[in-house]
Amino acid sequence: MNLPQSQFGLPFAAATAAYYDEMHDAGGRVRPHYEEVRRTFERMTPELAARRQAAMNDRMLEEGITYTLYDPGQADPLERTIPFDLIPRIIPNAEWRELERGLVQRTKALNCFLADVYHEQHILRDGIVPRKLIVANRYFRPEMMRLQVPNGIYTTCAGIDLIRDERGKYFVLEDNLRSPSGFSYLFTSRSIMKRLFRELYFSYPIEEVDHSLNHFLAALKCMSPTDRSNPTIALLTPGSYNSAYFEHTYLAQQMGIELVEGRDLVCMDHKIYMRTRTGLRRIDVVYRRIDDDFLDPLAFRPDSLLGVAGVMNAYRAGNVAIANAPGTGVADDKAIYTFVPDMIKYYLNEEPMLSNVPTYLLSRPDEREYVLSRLGEMVVKETSLSGGYGMLIGPTATDEEIASFAVKIRENPSNYIAQPTIKLSTAPIYRDGGFVPRHIDLRAFVLSGRETHVIPGGLTRVAMKEGSLVVNSSQGGGVKDTWVLGT
């Protein structure tokens, strides 16, 4: 790609006609909120930019900001630092406030849906959501039926993935309600930019994110079933071999809560205790970062060595809170996703502020045949998988891959949904002495406690490979610091 040269010889990204360019308008002019970014990099030589990017990569390595990448072509998983790009993504204040309202509305409706599904099931009786999508859902937990969750909050923390199409309109791509990841990369990205790119950072009025950790802690504290002013909270991790273990340690340290594995906890008298050197200490809230299946071998998978035997009995007895609640996965299933706009109208009597990507349920014969006739144009996803796994991206797939997916769809149509290929917006990243456009999305984090808080900006994820639409860290994606401008 031919890029224009600045005064000092550093190439900068030009607008890409086929996609919405976050930095440039359709005429190739820099958008006003990126003007200071342009000026900063025009004053920078390629050598200086390369040193700045290298310093940021070194800081990621020094702080151990890693992710385990599972490559089917490799015998062993690869632990690596997250690719971090020094060019921030900038969101104007008015644009963010509109997104914020839509995110609060969406998570509120999803929580209402979970409460309804596990209690009266009005939305199923009224035929808004097909009952079979619930009872046959692998994430539906009958053990949660009629169970009163603390404060009625099923999703203390939610990760909502947003994308923009070629016109710049935002769409919700996916809801992540079980144990969304990415918090640590959001906070550490901000820390690195403040330390190593101070002249750019302090040239903008940026909304801070540090206080969001206090909101996170407050949301967990309000779940406590006891009236203690300082309840004991434990982050339950699968252990150091988990791909997001860095995040687990980071959040536990920053919020001042206990980091535990299943073997550190014991259930006695329907209460949960942590083993310490001085004896047992009662746990009030478990922030779990393990899947439902492994949470309690007495309630779910009996072969699990990661969870705590009896924790569900303690939960039912009201002696411990679990965030996010077991069974929340039924609401972030990709087939259920198609009904979220209906949930907003049904529970809140409001029009959705954020749109879904148009989605086809392949369990419906007419929609299935339509998709199969256009499979090379579609993105097909397995309803129960996340992280970029189990996908077909039609425009970049081979004929063999398309044929293989067609067979899978015909064999198990209810396991898949399909969406038209959205032309994700692009933003410039630094590469080899210049800037090149790469596709991005935005994971927004919503924290629900006594109040609802949306972390300003969230985490921008980047598809580091040219032309790739897969931004997930598990598939080699990178991150950018995301700045919401203050008023």
Side-chain angles (χ1 to χ4, degrees):
M1 178 178 180
N2 294 321
L3 298 173
Q5 300 287 317
S6 74
Q7 179 181 354
F8 293 98
L10 184 65
F12 58 90
T16 306
Y19 307 100
Y20 183 87
D21 188 309
E22 297 286 341
M23 186 172 177
H24 300 86
D25 64 21
R29 295 176 295 272
V30 173
R31 300 184 192 277
H33 52 285
Y34 273 98
E35 196 53 52
E36 189 58 37
V37 170
R38 180 190 65 81
R39 283 195 290 266
T40 298
F41 283 101
E42 280 193 347
R43 296 191 295 264
M44 193 177 294
T45 64
E47 293 76 21
L48 178 57
R51 288 198 300 270
R52 188 68 61 88
Q53 181 69 73
M56 292 181 172
N57 292 340
D58 290 344
R59 181 57 63 89
M60 297 280 280
L61 186 61
E62 290 167 6
E63 295 191 10
I65 305 170
T66 62
Y67 195 95
T68 304
L69 184 65
Y70 296 93
D71 186 344
Q74 300 290 332
D76 298 312
L78 174 66
E79 185 175 15
R80 63 171 182 84
T81 56
I82 296 289
F84 176 72
D85 185 65
L86 80 171
I87 308 167
R89 180 193 190 162
I90 303 175
I91 303 177
N93 187 275
E95 187 176 296
W96 177 252
R97 297 280 86 89
E98 187 175 343
L99 287 176
E100 189 177 50
R101 289 191 292 272
L103 291 163
V104 170
Q105 179 196 58
R106 190 174 182 96
T107 52
K108 184 177 180 181
L110 285 165
N111 192 73
C112 290
F113 172 72
L114 286 164
D116 188 17
V117 160
Y118 287 115
H119 288 83
E120 302 303 324
Q121 299 188 341
H122 293 297
I123 200 167
L124 307 186
R125 293 194 181 115
D126 290 341
I128 307 300
V129 175
R131 182 178 295 275
K132 65 180 180 180
L133 289 184
I134 302 301
V135 297
N137 193 301
R138 65 174 291 187
Y139 297 119
F140 177 67
R141 301 298 178 194
E143 298 85 354
M144 290 293 295
M145 288 299 297
R146 304 291 179 180
L147 196 155
Q148 299 297 326
V149 303
N151 298 325
I153 298 173
Y154 284 80
T155 56
T156 302
C157 50
I160 311 297
D161 293 343
L162 302 168
I163 60 172
R164 298 180 93 165
D165 67 3
E166 65 273 17
R167 297 167 298 165
K169 181 181 178 180
Y170 282 98
F171 290 86
V172 175
L173 181 66
E174 197 168 290
D175 303 297
N176 299 277
L177 306 179
R178 282 166 284 160
S179 53
S181 62
F183 293 98
S184 60
Y185 308 130
L186 185 162
F187 294 116
T188 52
S189 295
R190 178 60 53 86
S191 174
I192 288 172
M193 289 296 284
K194 288 174 73 171
R195 293 180 191 176
L196 300 181
F197 215 156
R198 295 175 64 84
E199 72 272 26
L200 179 60
Y201 182 85
F202 288 104
S203 66
Y204 279 96
I206 303 167
E207 291 195 6
E208 293 290 346
V209 297
D210 293 344
H211 66 286
S212 294
L213 283 167
N214 294 330
H215 284 279
F216 202 164
L217 181 60
L220 291 171
K221 283 184 175 180
C222 85
M223 303 288 288
S224 174
T226 67
D227 57 1
R228 291 193 290 172
S229 59
N230 192 27
T232 301
I233 303 169
L235 189 156
L236 178 60
T237 174
S240 59
Y241 291 103
N242 184 261
S243 60
Y245 185 68
F246 164 77
E247 172 153 300
H248 305 165
T249 59
Y250 177 88
L251 289 176
Q253 180 186 51
Q254 295 297 314
M255 289 194 287
I257 62 179
E258 304 292 340
L259 180 67
V260 299
E261 297 181 31
R263 60 190 176 187
D264 301 320
L265 302 179
V266 61
C267 180
M268 296 176 58
D269 300 324
H270 297 322
K271 298 180 179 67
I272 300 300
Y273 296 89
M274 177 178 65
R275 295 184 174 94
T276 72
R277 293 179 180 178
T278 57
L280 297 178
R281 180 183 179 189
R282 185 174 172 185
I283 298 295
D284 302 300
V285 181
V286 174
Y287 169 37
R288 51 90 175 227
R289 292 298 297 262
I290 65 176
D291 292 338
D292 289 355
D293 286 342
F294 302 97
L295 185 60
D296 185 342
L298 299 182
F300 305 120
R301 281 187 56 161
D303 61 340
S304 172
L305 300 177
L306 301 177
V308 185
V311 69
M312 284 299 293
N313 287 334
Y315 188 44
R316 290 191 195 94
N319 294 325
V320 70
I322 300 175
N324 288 345
T328 53
V330 73
D332 68 16
D333 178 271
K334 291 177 176 60
I336 296 299
Y337 157 91
T338 63
F339 296 95
V340 177
D342 297 320
M343 295 177 199
I344 293 171
K345 297 172 186 176
Y346 184 80
Y347 295 115
L348 308 183
N349 196 27
E350 298 171 357
E351 288 298 316
M353 298 178 194
L354 293 171
S355 300
N356 275 14
V357 174
T359 303
Y360 301 97
L361 283 177
L362 301 190
S363 57
R364 297 171 177 167
D366 54 339
E367 296 185 22
R368 179 169 65 251
E369 294 307 315
Y370 177 83
V371 168
L372 286 169
S373 68
R374 293 167 173 79
L375 208 51
E377 306 168 9
M378 297 286 181
V379 174
V380 182
K381 302 176 182 178
E382 193 166 342
T383 57
S384 61
L385 296 183
S386 58
Y389 296 102
M391 288 177 57
L392 172 78
I393 301 179
T396 61
T398 65
D399 291 341
E400 291 77 11
E401 290 170 335
I402 291 173
S404 174
F405 249 82
V407 172
K408 293 178 182 178
I409 290 168
R410 291 197 182 279
E411 289 178 347
N412 294 291
S414 60
N415 286 358
Y416 298 93
I417 57 100
Q419 298 169 331
T421 305
I422 300 295
K423 296 180 177 180
L424 272 63
S425 64
T426 66
I429 69 168
Y430 182 76
R431 267 289 186 273
D432 302 324
F435 298 126
V436 292
R438 291 291 185 268
H439 294 292
I440 60 172
D441 81 349
L442 179 67
R443 173 161 290 183
F445 294 102
V446 185
L447 305 173
S448 301
R450 290 190 173 91
E451 299 176 348
T452 302
H453 174 75
V454 184
I455 301 179
L459 179 69
T460 292
R461 303 185 299 176
V462 185
M464 303 303 289
K465 298 178 182 178
E466 184 176 2
S468 175
L469 298 175
V470 182
V471 300
N472 307 75
S473 299
S474 56
Q475 304 295 311
V479 299
K480 283 177 175 287
D481 193 14
T482 308
W483 297 354
V484 172
L485 300 184
T487 55

